[in-house]
Amino acid sequence: MTDQKTERLLNLTMALLATSRFLSKSEIFRNVAGYSGSTEAIERMFERDKDDLREIGLVIEVAPFDELFDDEVGYRIRSESYALNIGHLTPSERSYASLAATLWRNRMLHSSGHHALLKLSAIEGNGFGDDYGSGLITLENDSPHLEVLWSAIENRTLVHFSYSNPETSNRSLAPYGLSLWHGIWYVVGMDVIKNDIRVFRLSRIVSSIDSDPIKGSFDIPKDFAMKDYLVMLQERPPVLCHALIRVGRCNTLRMQGVVESVDAEWDRIEFAHQEEKVSELLWFGGDLILQTPEPMREALITLLKAKLATRNSSEIRSPGGDHE
Amino acid sequence: MNDSALGRVARALDLIPFLTANPGLSIVEIAQQFDTTPLQISRDLSLLHMCGLPGYSHLELLDIDYQDPDYVSVADPQVLDKPRALTYLESLALVLGLTLLEELTNDKEELGKITAFRERLSQLIGDRRLNERGPGFELLSTEQAVKQSPYALTIAQAITRESAIAIEYTSATSDTHTRRLIYPRRLTFKDGVGYCEALSEDQQTYRTFRLDRITQIDPDESEQPQDHQSGIVTVTQSEPSQPFQILIPKEGFAFLETHAEIITDSQFDGQSYRLFLQVESGEWLLRTLLALPYPATVLAPLNWAKTFSSRLEDTYNLYLG
């Protein structure tokens, strides 16, 4: 049964592609192998076949078969809408396509990228990866939720999931868009319970995502722009800092700042750093003393005191739980 | 791949133009390209052999030669000679991938080429979506997904050519600056940060290098090590991992998220997490805990707990002095 249907669909596609004029139903049923049975059965078969071909992206044009008798319609697939119309690819473009298509780890995008590459290689033949091969660069940020969210966005279906931030709560969302923003996957949409547009980090969805079966249950507002909501996640600009750093140490920080010598033991560095990330400077331990800005220095001292207090109040155990 | 009737139709419509442009592939190779089995490809070819334009005789069907399974060709693809247009998602996967490549490179000429290509592909999406929404609408986007690295594409070229590169590298953990020869195998990006997985000539082990810590890069003509296996990436540990116990407050739940791969167990008492870790570098763990914006401490092993404690105290004393 599958073979018959496959053959019929392929023959129908070829017939609709090959024609320069619209084909009537009767012409199709007469000339395309596979349409047999009662008139009603053939009609139903044809309607399903058109839906199937449209599902895989083919654009079947429908127009009055005859200008004078517009009650009968004809069908065709235009070559311009069917074929990949990208023109010639340069060797560099082939390389970039090869890299770009294969960097996704996520199954949905990986599969789509791979298919895209197959189609492109049907224009140019083999020879992809003259400068760059495929699969050399991969984006490890994957999420098991991308595919179901993408499907929900395309079909406009509501989704339901548990979200941890850090307390866990149940959420219902009309998803409007997905974004890989500064290396992290987010979904943006209307939180149905809170009646407000919210941004959700995919890695904090701690359950499987349930999609409602009803398609088309919401519209995306015409003035919605994902970026307007994602920019709220943007970090504040860095501020100018000064610190003493030990000679020969803090090498990664030296890459980012301007350094001058102070004495045999210390250099002074001027660099930019985000205020809310001041704790990161403790990575360098006693090899760095933040001098300015004063509020950041005070914040660092307060944090050090808190860390010492926690250390003092913790038990010290060896592995296996034995007390020293 | 989808083996329903529709799935087979989609595959067949892509198979004919692909074979037309790439004659001489074997059925096994074709199956690999189309992510299916050689048996399925054989069945597809056999089915396609029976298809053709209406009104043609049985001699004028799609002319596919697949009698020799090691050499498949299409003599007459009829109207299926051109590949199908990219689907929206296929175009997006390419466009988003190119956007990431743009973010990686700071070579103006290369950036110009990638941008021009991306814009050309974006037109394919834009044209189809315009009748739904205005231009600029995005269902799926990316921005600053990866930190710019002046060396990423140079390293990618070295991987393609299977050549070595000499890098100057600043290690944040050991706080040292070294020059070393490496044989890059793969570039990965996670949470925006780029890493190069490479065979280190010095250690004869696989190491991972952060791209933003590479300060200089020079191509090298050194031959590959004898045990090199092209295309296989195996990252082996350079140091044996050891168990640690740490304590972090409940506001540190993001630590569990970020470092899930090293956490073997966790206990939460309502106020703090006691985490059990397997870590290769104790020095890395100490520095990471020191740099957290909340109090965290090392509980075990004892030597590292004492080192952490004294480093904390020494740092604090510097601010008092």
Side-chain angles (χ1 to χ4, degrees):
Chain A
M1 186 67 92
T2 303
D3 271 9
Q4 282 175 10
K5 181 170 178 177
T6 308
E7 198 178 317
R8 190 179 69 244
L9 287 172
L10 282 168
N11 286 329
L12 176 61
T13 303
M14 292 174 75
L16 295 178
L17 253 180
T19 183
S20 55
R21 60 174 180 81
F22 287 92
L23 293 179
S24 67
K25 268 193 225 178
S26 54
E27 283 177 302
I28 291 169
F29 296 159
R30 201 166 49 243
N31 293 315
V32 176
Y35 287 103
S36 58
S38 66
T39 306
E40 207 178 288
I42 292 173
E43 290 272 354
R44 274 203 308 269
M45 206 183 291
F46 181 61
E47 290 307 311
R48 279 199 299 269
D49 287 351
K50 276 190 290 159
D51 288 343
D52 283 341
L53 292 182
R54 284 174 176 142
E55 198 179 313
I56 60 170
L58 302 192
V59 178
I60 301 176
E61 279 187 39
V62 183
F65 177 64
D66 190 310
E67 280 177 13
L68 295 176
F69 303 99
D70 61 2
D71 56 337
E72 190 178 0
V73 293
Y75 307 86
R76 72 175 177 188
I77 297 174
R78 287 228 238 185
S79 173
E80 296 81 23
S81 71
Y82 176 87
L84 176 55
N85 183 22
I86 194 172
H88 171 70
L89 295 184
T90 65
S92 295
E93 285 172 338
R94 283 185 281 157
S95 289
Y96 299 141
S98 187
L99 274 178
T102 57
L103 61 76
W104 303 103
R105 283 298 217 205
N106 167 265
R107 194 174 69 94
M108 178 180 84
L109 289 170
H110 178 82
S111 172
S112 300
H114 180 71
H115 282 132
L117 214 52
L118 274 180
K119 289 177 179 175
L120 288 175
S121 65
I123 298 176
E124 300 289 336
N126 280 330
F128 268 78
D130 287 353
D131 294 324
Y132 309 112
S134 65
L136 301 181
I137 300 179
T138 55
L139 201 67
E140 297 297 316
N141 283 74
D142 193 7
S143 169
H145 307 302
L146 269 178
E147 204 158 343
V148 65
L149 284 169
W150 174 254
S151 177
I153 291 167
E154 288 244 291
N155 292 315
R156 307 290 195 266
T157 57
L158 293 179
V159 293
H160 312 278
F161 50 86
S162 298
Y163 191 72
S164 175
N165 191 25
E167 279 82 27
T168 302
S169 56
N170 294 327
R171 315 302 279 268
S172 293
L173 183 73
Y176 292 173
L178 283 162
S179 184
L180 183 60
W181 181 269
H182 294 234
I184 312 264
W185 279 107
Y186 296 94
V187 60
V188 186
M190 174 61 73
D191 185 319
V192 173
I193 297 167
K194 296 186 189 293
N195 197 28
D196 194 17
I197 294 179
R198 294 294 169 97
V199 178
F200 296 89
R201 189 165 161 158
L202 262 59
S203 60
R204 296 193 180 150
I205 296 176
V206 293
S207 70
S208 57
I209 297 178
D210 294 323
S211 278
D212 274 3
I214 304 166
K215 293 184 183 180
S217 58
F218 62 88
D219 287 321
I220 299 176
K222 285 199 170 9
D223 59 354
F224 171 76
M226 227 172 359
K227 203 165 175 170
D228 292 344
Y229 298 90
L230 292 167
V231 292
M232 294 181 206
L233 303 173
Q234 198 134 339
E235 294 159 343
R236 284 186 286 174
V239 299
L240 196 63
C241 301
H242 293 88
L244 291 174
I245 52 177
R246 283 192 202 274
V247 169
R249 307 294 286 171
C250 305
N251 287 296
T252 50
L253 191 62
R254 286 171 187 271
M255 289 163 66
Q256 303 162 30
V258 176
V259 181
E260 61 178 14
S261 174
V262 173
D263 55 33
E265 196 181 353
W266 295 97
D267 294 327
R268 181 175 288 111
I269 184 170
E270 181 179 272
F271 63 101
H273 199 79
Q274 284 160 314
E275 207 169 326
E276 63 271 20
K277 293 187 175 178
V278 65
S279 70
E280 290 179 355
L281 298 177
L282 291 176
W283 171 276
F284 303 104
D287 291 331
L288 180 148
I289 306 171
L290 184 66
Q291 294 179 306
T292 61
E294 190 61 34
M296 282 175 71
R297 178 187 161 92
E298 287 304 315
L300 217 51
I301 294 171
T302 303
L303 181 59
L304 281 164
K305 279 188 198 163
K307 286 177 185 272
L308 279 166
T310 299
R311 180 218 49 186
N312 293 339
S313 66
S314 297
E315 294 174 347
I316 297 180
R317 293 174 179 274
S318 62
D322 294 327
H323 285 276
E324 287 292 329
Chain B
M1 206 171 197
N2 192 347
D3 282 340
S4 63
L6 203 53
R8 289 185 72 193
V9 169
R11 188 167 59 234
L13 292 176
D14 295 335
L15 193 54
I16 294 299
F18 177 81
L19 292 175
T20 304
N22 298 282
L25 293 176
S26 68
I27 286 182
V28 168
E29 287 169 321
I30 299 166
Q32 282 168 355
Q33 288 288 334
F34 281 82
D35 191 27
T36 186
T37 64
L39 180 60
Q40 190 57 65
I41 292 293
S42 295
R43 285 181 178 152
D44 289 349
L45 292 172
S46 160
L47 182 75
L48 281 163
H49 204 59
M50 301 306 296
C51 296
L53 288 168
Y56 280 47
S57 74
H58 69 282
L59 296 173
E60 292 158 308
L61 300 171
L62 285 168
D63 190 353
I64 311 168
D65 186 354
Y66 60 102
Q67 294 307 313
D68 179 356
D70 292 326
Y71 194 101
V72 179
S73 65
V74 177
D76 181 13
Q78 298 188 358
V79 290
L80 298 184
D81 57 328
K82 293 189 177 48
R84 289 190 296 150
L86 298 177
T87 65
Y88 183 61
L89 205 49
E90 287 166 1
S91 308
L92 263 188
L94 274 182
V95 167
L96 291 180
L98 288 168
T99 307
L100 292 179
L101 293 184
E102 281 176 298
E103 289 175 1
L104 277 180
T105 185
N106 64 353
D107 179 300
K108 277 189 185 154
E109 192 186 334
E110 185 131 61
L111 179 61
K113 286 185 199 172
I114 298 173
T115 301
F117 185 39
R118 178 184 55 72
E119 285 173 353
R120 205 143 69 93
L121 280 172
S122 295
Q123 285 294 315
L124 298 177
I125 306 176
D127 290 345
R128 272 208 299 271
R129 286 277 156 167
L130 261 171
N131 57 357
E132 286 188 38
R133 306 199 57 100
F137 175 72
E138 301 158 315
L139 291 175
L140 185 64
S141 74
T142 172
E143 173 138 346
Q144 290 187 44
V146 292
K147 280 189 192 168
Q148 189 185 69
S149 166
Y151 304 119
L153 296 186
T154 307
I155 295 173
Q157 279 183 333
I159 296 171
T160 304
R161 294 170 190 161
E162 296 187 357
S163 61
I165 47 174
I167 62 168
E168 287 189 13
Y169 187 74
T170 302
S171 166
T173 302
S174 62
D175 205 358
T176 53
H177 188 80
T178 55
R179 184 177 171 83
R180 53 183 96 187
L181 192 72
I182 63 169
Y183 298 89
R185 290 290 172 269
R186 197 173 67 169
L187 289 167
T188 59
F189 287 84
K190 189 171 182 204
D191 296 342
V193 179
Y195 301 89
C196 170
E197 294 172 9
L199 181 65
S200 169
E201 192 198 36
D202 290 347
Q203 299 180 28
Q204 289 292 300
T205 55
Y206 281 98
R207 295 290 302 276
T208 302
F209 301 91
R210 265 181 73 137
L211 293 186
D212 57 358
R213 307 253 169 87
I214 296 175
T215 54
Q216 182 85 13
I217 197 166
D218 294 309
D220 193 279
E221 299 302 319
S222 299
E223 287 182 4
Q224 296 288 347
Q226 290 302 312
D227 63 351
H228 160 61
Q229 293 179 54
S230 178
I232 296 174
V233 174
T234 307
V235 179
T236 58
Q237 294 174 350
S238 53
E239 299 173 32
S241 67
Q242 49 183 318
F244 281 80
Q245 255 190 69
I246 66 172
L247 198 69
I248 60 173
K250 72 174 181 181
E251 67 257 37
F253 79 97
F255 183 94
L256 282 83
E257 200 173 67
T258 309
H259 300 292
E261 69 270 16
I262 60 170
I263 299 173
T264 58
D265 197 6
S266 67
Q267 295 165 3
F268 182 59
D269 64 6
Q271 291 303 315
S272 55
Y273 295 94
R274 182 183 292 259
L275 300 179
F276 299 81
L277 317 172
Q278 280 292 129
V279 179
E280 279 178 39
S281 169
E283 179 62 27
W284 168 84
L285 182 62
L286 251 63
R287 288 180 183 263
T288 301
L289 294 179
L290 275 171
L292 291 173
Y294 42 80
T297 196
V298 178
L299 300 177
L302 185 60
N303 59 324
W304 282 107
K306 284 181 176 172
T307 303
F308 180 76
S309 181
S310 58
R311 194 173 300 184
L312 194 53
E313 215 164 304
D314 292 344
T315 307
Y316 177 64
N317 289 337
L318 273 177
Y319 282 91
L320 295 182

